[in-house]
Amino acid sequence: MAHYNRPVNPSSASAPALTSHLRLSELIKAKTAVVGVIGLGYVGLPLVRAFTAAGFRCMGFDIDQTKIDRLRAGQSYIKHIDATTLSNLIDAKRFDPTTDMARLSEADCVIICVQTPLNESRDPDLSHIDSTARTIARALRPGQLVALESTTYPTTTRLHVLPVLEATGLACGRDFFLAFSPEREDPGNPQFQAATIPKIVGGYDENSLDVACALYAQAIVKVIPVSSLEIAEACKILENTYRAVNIALVNELKVLYDRIGIDVWEVIEAAKTKPFGFQAFYPGPGLGGHCIPVDPFYLSWLARKHGEQTRFIELAGEVNSHMPHYVINRLGEFLNDRAKPIKGSRIAVLGVAYKRDVDDPRESPSFELLKSLLERGAAVTYNDPHIPTLPRMRHYPSLPVMESQSLTVEYLNSQDCVLIATDHSAYDYDFIVEHATLVVDVRNATKNVTRGREKIRKA
Ligand SMILES: NC(=O)c1ccc[n+]([C@@H]2O[C@H](COP(=O)([O-])OP(=O)(O)OC[C@H]3O[C@@H](n4cnc5c(N)ncnc54)[C@H](O)[C@@H]3O)[C@@H](O)[C@H]2O)c1
């Protein structure tokens, strides 16, 4: 069995280690260390904001030229990241976005925030981490810290990043430092931002842990050091698996409670009054986003590799991926009650972002809902205040080009059914219910609507 304890200061006796380690610690303490963030997406850009707000100069690296051009033009492509803040930072030379990876050597601390998707066979796709490691290796110099933040299975940092960096001839813990610190960003959640979410840090060795903790402590509210890279990796994937499994549980209970006429949302509201031992999770049309539908399968893949099983993960995946079909079946029943088939009915899907108040459509179950309704012959349109045009999705090539419709009285009136798939807070639910003829609510978004409740069906 493998053990992943930190080497105890593997080269603390040697002068270069002492010099590199102390020099970097000094730079971090003085906030003169330059922080380079690789991957300026939903995780990387908020991290830049956190480090610049803490007083560090940041460089941002991405292979996507469009993103860099937009940032340089003073635009933000992430709704909750303010464009003015970014352009002020760029003007003040506090933030320097670039595609020039040779400039990685200018950064003292390099933080990797690239995507970690599943491939066509739903196995981990580490190609972005692998190519980033190779890119860093080409620019690596003594005295740098490299921290991986992308969510991945335990052992990735040690087996995919470390060897590539050490192939340069530089030694980890002596010449450069390596850490894993999972990002726990919750986009669109106004209560928590990168800087206010406690940060788990695992280091390859004591020097690495030391400098990584010192860096994050300057910008993040609380730092929790753990004993190895693998504990930090496993911690993040536990958190996401916990969510996937508990969401599956309430989704399954929703189907049962629906069948026997019990409102699952009221049950959860009641249960969450218990001050201990219960945490509320909510049902929905299925899982969405880059994390919860994807990350647990990184763990199942690892389990298979070790001859083990992750039955909870598989079962949760099965339950959650069935939810869009359940919603469509229920919607068909509700239309049927009004003597209407899905075929030919005008159906408006409200919300294609995967969750409330974000502009991120990745893995959103709304795409499955749109596809199923179109396959059944419905005349489908959509509205999403955060997604004006339906993006092309890899798994849904057959979906037509669609524009978000305005939620006017005429539009709502003309629909046979309005399906609330994502409960954006910009929606006026009283208005929607007032002007729609049938509302299928998958998120309990209409809970406070008092007039026209006879038109609402939950699914
Ligand atoms: N989105 C979230 O809410 C969230 C929350 C916590 C953790 N995470 C994890 O953080 C990681 C990043 O997620 P994200 O949502 O920010 O992804 P994203 O797709 O929004 O951003 C990733 C960025 O990395 C860039 N990139 C890819 N390969 C590159 C390379 N070789 N060099 C430079 N740039 C490269 C892409 O162009 C893209 O801009 C993932 O592992 C994800 O699981 C995401």
Side-chain angles (χ1 to χ4, degrees):
M1 201 194 315
H3 285 285
Y4 299 111
N5 292 334
R6 286 194 301 270
V8 179
N9 287 345
S11 14
S12 59
S14 69
L18 224 53
T19 325
S20 293
H21 174 234
L22 290 181
R23 190 181 155 274
L24 184 54
S25 301
E26 286 305 316
L27 291 177
I28 290 170
K29 212 160 94 191
K31 297 189 179 178
T32 48
V34 175
V35 177
V37 174
I38 308 184
L40 299 173
Y42 284 90
V43 160
L45 214 46
L47 205 62
V48 165
R49 187 176 56 181
F51 277 106
T52 48
F56 287 89
R57 195 163 77 73
C58 277
M59 299 179 74
F61 297 88
D62 206 294
I63 46 172
D64 185 343
Q65 185 69 51
T66 326
K67 281 195 172 118
I68 301 300
D69 291 344
R70 289 189 67 181
L71 290 170
R72 294 217 151 273
Q75 295 169 10
S76 169
Y77 38 79
I78 296 181
K79 190 179 68 68
H80 55 278
I81 303 288
D82 178 49
T84 316
T85 310
L86 289 176
S87 67
N88 288 346
L89 287 169
I90 291 174
D91 290 346
K93 305 206 180 313
R94 308 294 306 161
F95 176 36
D96 185 2
T98 178
T99 51
D100 182 359
M101 303 295 165
R103 293 190 59 202
L104 275 166
S105 59
E106 293 174 37
D108 300 292
C109 305
V110 175
I111 304 180
I112 308 171
C113 302
V114 298
Q115 65 269 48
T116 43
L118 297 172
N119 65 19
E120 285 303 326
S121 7
R122 298 194 67 72
D123 288 337
D125 171 5
L126 291 187
S127 59
H128 301 278
I129 290 183
D130 290 338
S131 67
T132 304
R134 289 193 297 271
T135 304
I136 297 172
R138 283 194 283 276
L140 193 69
R141 60 162 171 81
Q144 281 183 310
L145 164 70
V146 177
L148 177 62
E149 292 215 6
S150 306
T151 308
T152 181
Y153 57 78
T155 65
T156 302
T157 316
R158 190 178 302 273
L159 301 183
H160 282 258
V161 182
L162 178 66
V164 179
L165 300 187
E166 286 209 317
T168 58
L170 297 176
C172 189
R174 186 191 67 191
D175 303 318
F176 71 93
F177 309 101
L178 182 63
F180 181 84
S181 180
E183 182 52 60
R184 292 160 145 180
E185 177 78 4
D186 186 14
N189 183 341
Q191 284 178 314
F192 293 102
Q193 297 185 339
T196 60
I197 304 171
K199 201 106 175 72
I200 302 289
V201 181
Y204 168 73
D205 64 328
E206 295 204 357
N207 288 342
S208 296
L209 182 67
D210 211 39
V211 285
C213 286
L215 175 70
Y216 286 116
Q218 295 280 18
I220 312 286
V221 63
K222 186 174 182 193
V223 170
I224 301 111
V226 295
S227 65
S228 66
L229 297 166
E230 287 72 19
I231 296 281
E233 292 166 327
C235 167
K236 168 70 187 181
I237 218 151
L238 164 66
E239 291 166 12
N240 285 0
T241 302
Y242 173 77
R243 280 191 66 73
V245 168
N246 280 286
I247 292 169
L249 174 67
V250 288
N251 275 332
E252 187 169 77
L253 291 183
K254 172 176 82 163
V255 174
L256 167 67
Y257 286 172
D258 245 9
R259 188 57 65 205
I260 55 179
I262 293 173
D263 184 330
V264 71
W265 281 277
E266 195 178 343
V267 174
I268 295 167
E269 285 314 298
K272 86 180 198 203
T273 60
K274 186 178 177 187
F276 52 88
F278 181 84
Q279 190 188 349
F281 288 87
Y282 297 95
L287 295 181
H290 181 23
C291 300
I292 314 296
V294 172
D295 303 340
F297 294 100
Y298 269 58
L299 211 47
S300 337
W301 177 87
L302 187 69
R304 283 200 302 280
K305 212 175 134 210
H306 288 271
E308 295 291 340
Q309 286 183 328
T310 47
R311 281 170 291 172
F312 273 104
I313 293 175
E314 304 300 337
L315 186 58
E318 211 177 288
V319 172
N320 289 328
S321 60
H322 178 67
M323 293 319 290
H325 309 289
Y326 174 76
V327 169
I328 297 299
N329 284 344
R330 293 292 282 155
L331 182 145
E333 288 168 12
F334 300 139
L335 278 173
N336 191 51
D337 291 344
R338 293 166 180 242
K340 284 183 181 163
I342 290 182
K343 191 174 180 128
S345 284
R346 284 176 303 258
I347 300 174
V349 174
L350 303 197
V352 294
Y354 80 91
K355 71 168 181 176
R356 181 193 305 157
D357 299 346
V358 300
D359 56 358
D360 186 352
R362 290 177 296 177
E363 307 284 332
S364 170
S366 293
F367 288 89
E368 191 61 39
L369 296 173
L370 289 168
K371 177 172 159 257
S372 298
L373 289 168
L374 282 168
E375 281 170 356
R376 285 165 176 73
V380 187
T381 48
Y382 88 95
N383 168 278
D384 193 310
H386 308 296
I387 302 185
T389 305
L390 202 66
R392 306 300 303 169
M393 302 302 273
R394 195 160 49 115
H395 298 300
Y396 298 95
S398 63
L399 283 181
V401 176
M402 291 168 108
E403 304 285 323
S404 173
Q405 304 294 305
S406 299
L407 282 191
T408 60
V409 172
E410 295 71 34
Y411 174 67
L412 290 167
N413 248 317
S414 69
Q415 301 300 306
D416 296 300
C417 176
V418 171
L419 171 59
I420 300 174
T422 308
D423 51 344
H424 289 309
S425 44
Y427 285 138
D428 180 343
Y429 293 104
D430 289 299
F431 177 83
I432 291 166
V433 174
E434 183 184 349
H435 298 292
T437 48
L438 168 65
V439 176
V440 176
D441 182 358
V442 191
R443 301 281 193 174
N444 202 27
T446 55
K447 60 178 179 293
N448 296 324
V449 172
T450 49
R451 291 177 54 186
R453 289 210 67 82
E454 69 285 354
K455 296 190 242 175
I456 302 171
R457 298 287 179 278
K458 295 186 186 177

